[in-house]
Amino acid sequence: MDRREKEDYLREYSQLKSQGKPFFPYAILKDSAMAIIVVAVTVVMALFLGAELGPKADPTTTTYTPRPEWYFFFLFELLRVIEPPELVLLATLGVPTIWLIMLLLLPFVDRSSERNPLKRPVATTMGILTMVMMAFLTIEGATAGAPTAIELSTSPQYEQGRAAVASSGCLGCHKIGENGNGGPGPELTSIGERLPSQAIARTLVNPTRPMPSYASLRQREPEKFAKLVAYLASLKRESP
Ligand code: HEC
């Protein structure tokens, strides 16, 4: 800002100030009115629409998929994109902190008195890019599958069996492709090469400890059990 701009600005400011209204009571009144409206709308919505209570928490579940609230999806997605474990700290704490520091520094870096967005191409472009990036990450995060989803290519006939494996807790002890834990159970990525379906079914009903028995699953949901076994038997190195 050069001298003349500064004088223009000060003149305009003193003019506006002389015509202005005091903070108390004008601004206070406006703020209070708006605050009361917001609270009243919230109360009315709570009374007539109610708040949704999710299903009761089940501490024994092994298939729960933790997901953040939608407004954190962009951070969630950032964490998914940045895979190497040594970079996780940077993704969770580093990136948001760097952005905040940059925001704090902005008024010291950008000394322009210009307020029209069209006359501030750098700031405007940066702002739009940030919003586009956050929107993109939010959409990606919202549509991303659960981390327990199995990403091997599966033909449609095995789709339900694959879902059955994902929802039966197998991945807590077994690795299939990129998913699941590496232990205590052996990797099942190409289990179909080692065991025929009868042997897989036998293992599930009569497993060696610590693997739990899935006999009750066969009893309660024989179809799901059969699909699960068929899917496992189809897992060969040359994926179906
Ligand atoms: C609590 C951990 C645990 C869970 C949960 C679990 N397993 Fe296992 N599983 C094991 C262990 C440990 C072994 C190895 C047992 C042994 O030493 O024979 C095993 C063995 C197997 C085998 C035989 C592998 C081979 O190479 O012989 C199959 C097949 C199998 N599990 C499938 C499943 C399926 C399908 C599920 C889900 C429905 C499942 N497991 C759930 C721990 C688990």
Side-chain angles (χ1 to χ4, degrees):
M1 187 188 296
D2 64 26
R3 251 184 94 88
R4 230 190 40 143
E5 278 176 329
K6 186 162 184 172
E7 275 163 17
D8 280 352
Y9 166 77
L10 287 176
R11 188 158 353 95
E12 203 183 334
Y13 178 74
S14 68
Q15 225 172 40
L16 286 174
K17 195 169 179 180
S18 66
Q19 304 163 354
K21 294 176 174 160
F23 185 76
F24 181 85
Y26 292 96
I28 298 264
L29 197 69
K30 266 193 193 165
D31 285 359
S32 314
M34 195 59 212
I36 288 170
I37 290 173
V38 169
V39 171
V41 168
T42 310
V43 167
V44 168
M45 279 170 67
L47 284 178
F48 289 98
L49 300 177
E52 184 199 349
L53 286 180
K56 210 168 174 185
D58 175 7
T60 62
T61 182
T62 52
T63 56
Y64 176 69
T65 312
R67 315 250 321 152
E69 297 289 347
W70 67 267
Y71 43 80
F72 281 134
F73 274 156
F74 73 100
L75 281 179
F76 176 64
E77 185 60 21
L78 196 64
L79 193 56
R80 287 168 56 95
V81 175
I82 300 181
E83 271 188 0
E86 59 272 20
L87 291 183
V88 164
L89 201 66
L90 182 71
T92 49
L93 290 174
V95 172
T97 308
I98 291 169
W99 273 108
L100 270 182
I101 291 176
M102 277 163 66
L103 261 185
L104 286 175
L105 290 181
L106 187 62
F108 301 99
V109 176
D110 183 357
R111 305 289 296 163
S112 162
S113 63
E114 201 54 73
R115 296 180 66 187
N116 184 340
L118 292 178
K119 292 189 181 159
R120 307 187 50 187
V122 176
T124 306
T125 312
M126 295 271 280
I128 290 175
L129 279 183
T130 305
M131 284 191 272
V132 168
M133 186 192 73
M134 283 174 71
F136 175 74
L137 286 176
T138 300
I139 292 168
E140 285 289 299
T143 53
T148 50
I150 302 164
E151 273 146 28
L152 293 179
S153 62
T154 5
S155 56
Q157 83 209 77
Y158 295 121
E159 203 46 56
Q160 283 170 310
R162 184 174 92 136
V165 169
S167 69
S168 299
C170 317
L171 297 175
C173 300
H174 293 284
K175 198 167 158 74
I176 300 182
E178 291 294 304
N179 300 105
N181 292 322
E187 181 166 342
L188 299 180
T189 306
S190 50
I191 184 68
E193 277 175 15
R194 256 179 300 145
L195 298 179
S197 54
Q198 298 92 323
I200 293 174
R202 222 176 303 129
T203 307
L204 289 174
V205 175
N206 243 328
T208 323
R209 271 179 55 84
M211 176 159 154
S213 169
Y214 287 86
S216 64
L217 177 73
R218 186 172 67 169
Q219 219 167 42
R220 274 183 294 118
E221 298 173 75
E223 212 171 289
K224 179 174 170 182
F225 185 87
K227 287 197 168 122
L228 190 156
V229 170
Y231 165 67
L232 286 176
S234 79
L235 290 178
K236 310 212 162 130
R237 218 154 300 150
E238 285 299 307
S239 243

